[in-house]
Amino acid sequence: MTRHMDMLGLIIFCSILKASGQKIIHVFSSDAENATLPCYNASADCTSTTWAYYSKRGSPGIELFSNGKIHDRLSLGSDCSLNIYKTTTKDLGVYTCWLGVKDTQKTFGNVYLHVLQVSPSSSQTQIKPGRSVTLFCQLYFCYEHSCETLLSSEGLQLIWVNESGVNLQTDSRFQILSSVDHCSISLTKTLLDEDDNTEWRCQITKGSEVKTSVSYTVSYLGGIEIVGRGLLVRGIIIIIEMAALSFPTAILLWICKTRAGKRRHPENVEI
């Protein structure tokens, strides 16, 4: 409930920023990916640049960079852009870049940071052939309208693709369900033996451009993979045991043949 209230407050706050007429830029990142937030028209000297972060309506802005000081996990680019190391859903919000000294600052605009995240419905030990797995992909966003409006106004798509980048929406082996209310898209599939080490990706695209993506690789930790390795190991042991039993027999036969050959072909003896 608290999470939904925070999201609602953030959406309302974003709408206020939108109404102010300031320039807005959308940046999409995935969980644990590095993100770069641009500060266009910045001067060559970034010492007069200030970056602030707003998490929700009513919250005071947190200065991330000012007077040369910057928070942990952040860095400033040569063009005054803000670099965030390994983003999470906690970084979701609005980032504002100011230029100039105090009382004469010029606001560049607002950067909306949206974060994409994927999670499986089952624990890793339950993922095996014959079982069904569902992957949930959700876009945590800050916008003044709905997810549907955000995607349509920006010309974006939230889709699942395979390793070759082919959209899985029309593949009958997969069940793809979208929810505009939660800004999510799920993938469900009954796993086969050949799905081991297969990668599927959830991504946000604008035309042919991929804004960000999150990949998930199927990995079987039990069942057929372990049994298969067990059979292989046992097979090797059997072969070694057979070789060990055959070796003394082969040596004995060689000795017998050597002695028999000497009796048939005695060496010349000087008299």
Side-chain angles (χ1 to χ4, degrees):
M1 183 65 179
T2 302
R3 175 65 179 173
H4 289 302
M5 290 300 295
D6 288 345
M7 286 293 294
L8 178 60
L10 186 55
I11 291 173
I12 295 174
F13 173 67
C14 291
S15 65
I16 294 175
L17 290 177
K18 176 69 173 180
S20 66
Q22 294 178 355
K23 185 177 180 180
I24 289 176
I25 294 175
H26 295 280
V27 172
F28 298 88
S29 181
S30 59
D31 212 21
E33 180 186 43
N34 300 338
T36 298
L37 313 184
C39 183
Y40 294 121
N41 301 323
S43 61
D45 182 10
C46 296
T47 55
S48 62
T49 300
T50 299
W51 274 99
Y53 166 70
Y54 301 87
S55 60
K56 58 184 177 181
R57 183 189 181 190
S59 65
I62 301 173
E63 286 193 354
L64 303 176
F65 175 79
S66 181
N67 299 322
K69 297 179 180 179
I70 195 164
H71 281 222
D72 293 338
R73 213 163 49 85
L74 305 175
S75 65
L76 205 67
S78 58
D79 57 353
C80 306
S81 59
L82 184 67
N83 301 314
I84 304 177
Y85 179 67
K86 290 189 176 182
T87 60
T88 70
T89 55
K90 293 181 179 180
D91 297 316
L92 173 73
V94 182
Y95 295 76
T96 302
C97 175
W98 284 296
L99 304 177
V101 296
K102 190 176 181 181
D103 299 327
T104 61
Q105 289 178 329
K106 179 181 178 182
T107 303
F108 153 68
N110 302 295
V111 181
Y112 287 23
L113 178 61
H114 315 285
V115 181
L116 191 66
Q117 188 179 68
V118 168
S119 59
S121 61
S122 306
S123 65
Q124 192 64 47
T125 56
Q126 295 174 323
I127 296 176
K128 58 186 63 178
R131 291 197 175 184
S132 178
V133 64
T134 298
L135 304 178
F136 296 99
C137 178
Q138 183 170 2
L139 176 64
Y140 293 88
F141 70 101
C142 170
Y143 199 61
E144 68 273 16
H145 297 300
S146 65
C147 169
E148 184 178 14
T149 304
L150 169 63
L151 297 180
S152 60
S153 63
E154 296 295 319
L156 302 168
Q157 278 189 308
L158 189 58
I159 61 175
W160 279 100
V161 300
N162 61 15
E163 294 171 306
S164 302
V166 178
N167 194 334
L168 298 174
Q169 184 70 51
T170 56
D171 193 324
S172 59
R173 296 172 299 174
F174 298 85
Q175 183 181 13
I176 310 292
L177 296 176
S178 299
S179 172
V180 292
D181 292 335
H182 298 92
C183 211
S184 64
I185 183 169
S186 64
L187 174 152
T188 301
K189 187 182 186 296
T190 299
L191 297 174
L192 304 175
D193 294 346
E194 55 266 29
D195 287 326
D196 191 22
N197 293 322
T198 298
E199 179 186 279
W200 299 313
R201 293 196 310 273
C202 177
Q203 60 187 35
I204 298 176
T205 60
K206 184 172 185 177
S208 59
E209 178 188 3
V210 178
K211 291 293 186 179
T212 191
S213 66
V214 181
S215 63
Y216 183 87
T217 301
V218 176
S219 178
Y220 299 152
L221 297 180
I224 191 168
E225 186 182 36
I226 293 178
V227 171
R229 288 181 178 176
L231 290 175
L232 177 61
V233 171
R234 286 195 292 273
I236 294 173
I237 292 173
I238 291 172
I239 292 172
I240 293 174
E241 288 177 348
M242 291 179 64
L245 290 173
S246 300
F247 182 74
T249 305
I251 293 295
L252 183 59
L253 289 174
W254 178 79
I255 294 173
C256 292
K257 288 181 179 179
T258 302
R259 290 179 176 178
K262 287 183 177 181
R263 285 196 295 267
R264 287 195 299 268
H265 306 284
E267 295 180 357
N268 293 329
V269 179
E270 292 183 0
I271 301 177

